[in-house]
Every structure is written in C-alpha cells, then in structure tokens.
Amino acid sequence: MSETFADVALPLALARPLRYRVSEDLAARVGPGCRVVVPVQGREMIGIVTATGDAPPAAGRVREIIAAPDPGPVLDRELLALARHLAWYYAAPAGFALRAMLPAALYSVGRPMVRVADGALAREGAAGSGRGGPAAAALARLFRSPQRAVALAAVRRAGGTAGLRLVHRLAAAGEAELITLSPRTAAPERRERFFELVTRYEHLLDLERRFARSPKQREAYEALTALGGRASTRTLAQSGVSASALAALAAHGEARSVSETRLRDPFAELPPSPPPARPTADQQRAIAALEALEPGGAALLFGVTGSGKTLVYLRYLRGVLAAGRGAIVLVPEIALTPQTVARFKGVFGDDVAVLHSGLSDGERYDAWRALREGRRHVAIGARSAVFAPVRALGAIVVDEEHDTSYKQGEAPRYHAREVALRRAALSGATVVLGSATPSLESWTAASRGALRLVELPERVEARPLPPVEVVDLRAASQRPGSGAVAWSERLDAAVQGALERGEQAMILLNRRGFSVFVQCPACGEVWTCPNCSVTLTYHRAPASLRCHHCDHRERPPAACPRCGAATQRYRGVGTQQVEEFLAGRFPAARIARMDLDSTGGKWSHHRILEQVGAGTVDVLVGTQMIAKGLDFPRVTVVGVVDADVALNLPDFRAAERTFALLTQVAGRAGRGPLGGRVIVQTRAPEHPAVVRAARHDVRGFLESEREERRDPPYPPEVALLNGVLSGTDERAVARAAGGVVEWLHALLAARPALGAAVLGPAPCPIERIRERWRWHFLVKAPDEGALTRLARYLAARAPVSARVRLVVDRDPVSLL
Ligand code: ADP
Ligand code: ZN
C-alpha cells in the first residue's frame, strides 16, 4: 500500500514547504488548502497543505501530521494559486504569503486534544497483537481517567506515531473525540473605565489660572482634551498621565470616571446612507464602460475629486451582484472612511462584511467565514481584504488606488493593487482602480492599454473645482502673533471668513507632534533617538519627546546634557502646535485635531468625523488623514500650512506624493453648493508639484513626471527592487552591503540578457532604526520577469551572514 505525503507551508522563514507523512486515517481530511498541525522545531504549529503526493521527503526523518482540524480546505484553488504567485513574485516564503491571506485566528496555536471513550483502549489492548496493541498499552496509562482530554503531543510522546494513528483510528470509529482548534470567535464582553471631562476651559487664560500650581493636573487635563475629552484609563496610562492627577481632576468635579462595556463596533451600527437617485450623464457613461469589461479586464476610473466615483462603483457592483457574483471593495485605512462604508451599506445592507482594523481576531474570523460560506457577498476593507474569501468573485474595486497604505511593510511585501489585478485574472473577475490622482504605475498602464481609461472629468452638478491660491511663505506677510506657525494674513482671513459665515475649514500639516525637534540654543545640540538616526519630536499633553520610528519616549530635558544650558528651543511646527495656535487665534471656534496621536481609543476618528459631519466642529486640523476621501459639503476653506514637508525627501516619489496630497486635500473644499477655496502655503511656489496641483492639472503632472522618470529611469519606466541590509554592527552591515552588491555585479555580468543594473550600496536615508544600522542598494530591471528572477536569486542565495538581515522589497513605495 502506498503512503501519502503532504507539503506543508509553515509561517516560518523557510525556503520551501516541509514534507510530512499523512496517516491513513487522516488522508481524507488532508488536501491542498487544508490546515494541519505538525511537529516542527520541537513544537507544534499550524501550516497549510500546498500539495499531496506519494513521494517521501528526499532526506531526513519523516514526521507525521498530528491533526487536521477542519473538515475541508480553508483556501480554495484560486486563493492557493494566488499565494503561490505572491511567494514567487515577492520572493517571500510561501508560509508567510499564506499567513497574510488568512485571518490570524486560524493560526492560533491551540493545542489539539483527544478524549477516548471508556474502555476503548482496553479493547484495543485485548485485541493483543492487533495493530494498536502495544501503543494501546502505552496510551492506557495516559488516559487513566476516561473523561480526561489529553494533548495529541503527549499521545505522540507516549505512543509514538503508532499512538497517533491509533487515536485517529478510534476517532474515525467514533470511539475517540478530537477536540480540534476551532478558533474562538465570540469577543468577550469587557468593561472598561473611562475618564471624561466635565469642565472645559475655553480660554487659555482660565486654564493658566486654574492650573498655575498644579502642572500634573494640567497635563492630565490637556491629555484628556487632546483625546477628544474622553479616554480609557488604559489609553491615559499609556500616554503617561498620572492616575493621581486624574483623581484630583475628578475630586474638583472637572472630570468624572465612568465604567462602560467595551465600545461596540461602530461599523456594525453605522446608519446606511442612501445613494443619490440618478447618475449623471458622465457617471452613466463610466458605468457603461465598466460593464463592457471582459472577465479578467481592468479599468482606471480617473475622476476628479467630487466627481461621484462612489456612485459609479455602487451601480457597477449592483450589476455584478445581480449576476450572482461577489465583490471586494478596497479602501485605504478603513477606520478613517466611515462615509464610504455607509454608502455601500446603503445599497448592499447586510450583504456587506466590513473587515476593519478594529475587529478582534474572533470577529474577523466570523466575517471571513460569513464570506466564505456565501452568507455575505461583498467585502469592504483595507489592504488585506484583497484576500477575502468572497465566493464567485466578480469584481474588485480599489478606491484611491494611489494610496501608499496598499503596500504591506513586511513579508510578503505585497501591493494590494497588484494583487487585485492578479487575483482578478485568476478568477475571471474585473478590477476598477479609482482615483483623482492616479499612481504613475496605473496611469502608464492605462496609456499602454493594459488598463481601460474611464474618466469623470467634472464634479457632479457642474460644481467647479475650488480655486487654489499659492502663498509664498518667503514673501507673504505673517499674521502678527502667529509665532513659529507659518500663518499668512491670507490664510488667516480665509479661515476667519469661513467661521463668520458659519462654515467649516480644514487645515493640513503633514507633521505630527508639537515641535519637530528640540535644539539647545547655546551649543546647537539636537535631541535624537537613542535607537534611530532621527530627531525626537516634542509632544504636548503629556509633555514628552518621542521617536516616530520606534516609539521611544523620554521626558523633555531640563537642561542641555552637553553644555548645561537651561533653556531649549523647540523648532519645526507640528499639528499640535497649529491646534494650540488656532485655539488662541479663534477662541470661539470649535477645533478638533486628527492625526495618529489623537486616537483616544479605537473609534476616536469616527467620533471626530461624526462631529465634523454634524457641524459641531468648525476647524479640523490634521495630517494626511484628513485628505482621504472625506465628503463634507460645508467645508469651504482648506488651508495647507506647509506644502513642502515631504517635497525634499530623498525619494523618487517625493513629487508624486506631494502632488497627490495637495490635490486630494484641495478636493475636500467646495463639495457643496457653498463653493470653496484652497490656500497653499509654500517656500517652493515654482515646484511643478505645487504649480500643477494649484491648477488641478493632474494629466499635466502625470505626463511631466513620467518624463522625469525616464532618465535616470525609475518606475514605471523600469521595474525596481530595494535591497535593505540591517544589523546592530555598523561595519558588518556596510561590509555585507558591499559583498552583496559585488555578488550581484558578478551575477549580472554572467547574465547580460537580464539587462539589469545595480545602484549602490549606500547608507539608507534613515541610517539607523530600532538600533539596527541600515544600508541599501537598488536593482533596476527592464521588465517584471527579469526582476522576479533577480529577486529570487537574492532572497535565496545572497551572501549575508547570520548577523545581517537582507530584506528584498520589490516595487517599493518608499526608499527611506
Ligand atoms: P469622489 O469620490 O469622486 O470624490 P463622491 O463619490 O464622494 O466623489 O461624491 C461626491 C458628492 O457628490 C457626494 O456627496 C455624492 O453624494 C454626490 N453625488 C454623487 N453622484 C451624484 C449624483 N448623480 N447626483 C447628485 N449628487 C451626487
Ligand atoms: Zn527611535
């Protein structure tokens, strides 16, 4: 009788799956796409079967699969093929690709257990020389008390492979019960303590007076304010707020402590928002163009901000669903776009599964199962939703396709847009990539005919795009009293006007914190992170210096550690400082801030956006978060405090990023009948990214940027790979980088047909992160296939020692 073996991909950095024996009794449950539990490196792990066959492993000890917890595969053929593609294209271990595709709960390493019916082992033992005889005797001791469940690992230790087979056989005969690892799904009800502010000091002066002698309480008060007036004790503790200061606020009646059950998922309760009644003529044309796509076909929906792309997606997908197929909608960082989700719920109701980052592992697994079992047909989510197990997939929409959050930062370093195109090709589905500022990749693909270009050239109801005024910060008159904040009279007057008319304003500054760095005025010393080669950012509420790369935190210095000078200068303005300035400048305005630090809990962004929608916030200050897809018709003024933040970064995408950010944030203005205007402050008013954004000239920018990337060539002109070497020993990293590049040169010299070139090595722009020194090199190849080969060579064979890590980042979105 022939034996069966299975290749199992494990979430480990292994070049290939490991081969295990499948016992006869498990054979029916073990096939491609199934979860199995196997022994590896002295423990048990969950892996996915990628293939089965009758060939034993070429070398080494043959081990046996311990359990197969599910009745069938967790991945179908298409998704398995997609995993193979991911591993291949991104030169990543198959086990990592598979893990990225499945909910985390499926990898929870619960211990597989077994319970054996009374007397079953005794009967086996009595059968004497029968198959299970000796093993039964060994196991009998283990199962002395019959109701006791025993770990399969213990069974294996006591009775070996024969023991395992025996229990599987008993299980098949109904005489043993395998307690398998179905993931825990229900989220436990939890109570949480919150502090909320009762008293608000509207004026800085009152605040100063009240807390003159209690700086700790002031810190606590300001922290609570910054967190939206309410935060869990856990969040407050994490931000370093003292419990006694909170208690003191409560004793004064200025805050109160409340206990509540864990906040419910607001996406579950999101009121659906009904779609507009009828598409415009442009929208109708766009819908028809999408409906004409062949299976496997893809389109770029290039529609200006406010052109009504969402309605086009909705109408198109309604047809897809009516034809009995399912759909995936990708949006960037979903916690931030409740409006979009509400619109989809307005059309598809309970047919939508929202896969957002706030879900617990169990909730995520439930949503995954609902899709897989065909109880829901539409998945909406961020990057990883591209792997949602939607049945009979008919279409994938990638909204804001230019967004960099679609790229995954760890292996497999995939880009959801690329994965969407590949998955659609495998499933015969269509793809719609939507944006007002298409990525250069998609734009080029459209010009080459690989994507069908579908345009919405105008805003709905013929609303004009808002005029953009560029203010040259080098020459403009500053508003008196604005201090370090770049705040021109022009921007000031615009915001003031909006407030007087009862309208809303958005103020963008793509820099978190209060001050970007701290410098000693006497000796010039700048505070840097002990783990990374970046300056520490000064944060208010509570006061601390923080690293934005490794989250290192320290107290602001009382004196300069080098020269002892007692005062420090806080330089470079961040969102917190803008917020504080605005609060002083417009004391009657209700101001909210939205950035990574304003997350007072899972749903604080929701709350802030709700307030903007309800009109209880007058000015919203924030980072790029406020530029993403928001649709508030009462926003009539958008101000960009400093357009140059990312313009001079040493990254070939710096101009593209800046252009997209400016165009997107400008697109938040004038979305209603009130109209709007945009004021962009910059020190580089002649930069093409600024000039073209001010003219809403997306096409012009894309075309000129394409020219820029021809020489020296950068994507999409060539295929690019960023190789990053890192380690704690600076010299070893530099040496390894030199070694790998030399090896690459030799490789390329031997294979001139690849037509590839290597640049570097050089230290990364950020030379050190989390105590690791970093060097990198670039590989440019004329086509995708050549780069795939090189990426795989690199991942498999590059000469690096164990002390240095090599990361192969294909199609990188950032070179920092
Ligand atoms: P985009 O994503 O292209 O920036 P949205 O899809 O958010 O634009 O639509 C912009 C605004 O126009 C929304 O408030 C939407 O409700 C409205 N809108 C879209 N289509 C229509 C239509 N056909 N008739 C009336 N209003 C519409
Ligand atoms: Zn750091």
Side-chain angles (χ1 to χ4, degrees), residues 529 531-532 547 550 552:
C529 176
N531 313 316
C532 314
C547 172
C550 73
H552 165 85

Side-chain angles (χ1 to χ4, degrees), residues 631-689:
D631 184 39
F632 295 115
R634 295 194 64 81
V635 171
T636 58
V637 169
V638 163
V640 179
V641 176
D642 181 353
D644 317 338
V645 170
L647 205 49
N648 301 313
L649 290 177
D651 193 312
F652 71 95
R653 288 188 212 270
E656 185 183 2
R657 291 266 169 74
T658 300
F659 175 81
L661 180 61
L662 293 179
T663 305
Q664 292 289 346
V665 77
R668 301 313 113 205
R671 293 171 79 91
L674 297 169
R677 65 193 275 216
V678 181
I679 291 161
V680 173
Q681 304 190 135
T682 173
R683 283 186 183 77
E686 292 91 29
H687 194 288

Side-chain angles (χ1 to χ4, degrees), residues 497-540:
L499 292 173
E500 278 165 4
R501 295 187 301 272
E503 298 160 2
Q504 293 169 308
M506 281 193 185
I507 303 296
L508 172 100
L509 176 61
N510 204 13
R511 222 157 33 193
R512 296 157 56 198
F514 191 88
S515 300
V516 183
F517 63 99
V518 184
Q519 188 172 32
C520 172
C523 72
E525 175 85 347
V526 170
W527 271 255
T528 54
C529 176
N531 313 316
C532 314
S533 60
V534 296
T535 59
L536 292 174
T537 301
Y538 175 66
H539 284 247
R540 277 274 173 93

Side-chain angles (χ1 to χ4, degrees), residues 233-320:
T233 44
R234 202 154 39 98
T235 308
L236 288 163
Q238 275 164 5
S239 0
V241 176
S242 101
S244 60
L246 286 168
L249 286 183
H252 279 91
E254 291 165 312
R256 63 167 162 257
S257 134
V258 286
S259 162
E260 279 180 10
T261 52
R262 202 174 76 106
L263 275 178
R264 290 268 158 251
D265 173 358
F267 283 105
E269 282 144 33
L270 203 62
S273 101
R278 50 168 59 250
T280 62
D282 277 345
Q283 285 171 326
Q284 221 131 35
R285 264 193 297 279
I287 297 161
L290 298 182
E291 282 170 347
L293 288 173
E294 302 277 311
L300 172 62
L301 177 61
F302 172 33
V304 300
T305 55
S307 59
K309 292 185 284 295
T310 317
L311 184 62
V312 173
Y313 304 146
L314 287 168
R315 289 274 173 148
Y316 175 56
L317 293 187
R318 208 165 67 178
V320 169

Side-chain angles (χ1 to χ4, degrees), residues 86 227 250 263 334 360 371 374 402 481 489 502 551 562 571 573 576 660 723 738 758 778 802:
L86 273 185
L227 295 170
L263 275 178
I334 192 151
S360 68
L371 291 164
H402 62 279
E489 292 280 17
D551 212 32
R562 192 154 78 169
R571 316 188 60 156
V573 172
Q576 292 181 352
V758 189
L778 299 178

Side-chain angles (χ1 to χ4, degrees), residues 711-764:
D711 189 23
Y714 275 102
E717 184 67 20
V718 285
L720 186 72
L721 172 160
N722 188 23
V724 178
L725 294 120
S726 67
T728 50
D729 180 343
E730 186 178 7
R731 284 221 297 239
V733 174
R735 235 185 350 256
V740 171
V741 167
E742 217 169 282
W743 175 84
L744 264 173
H745 279 303
L747 185 83
L748 293 178
R751 291 174 179 74
L754 285 174
V758 189
L759 265 71
C764 293

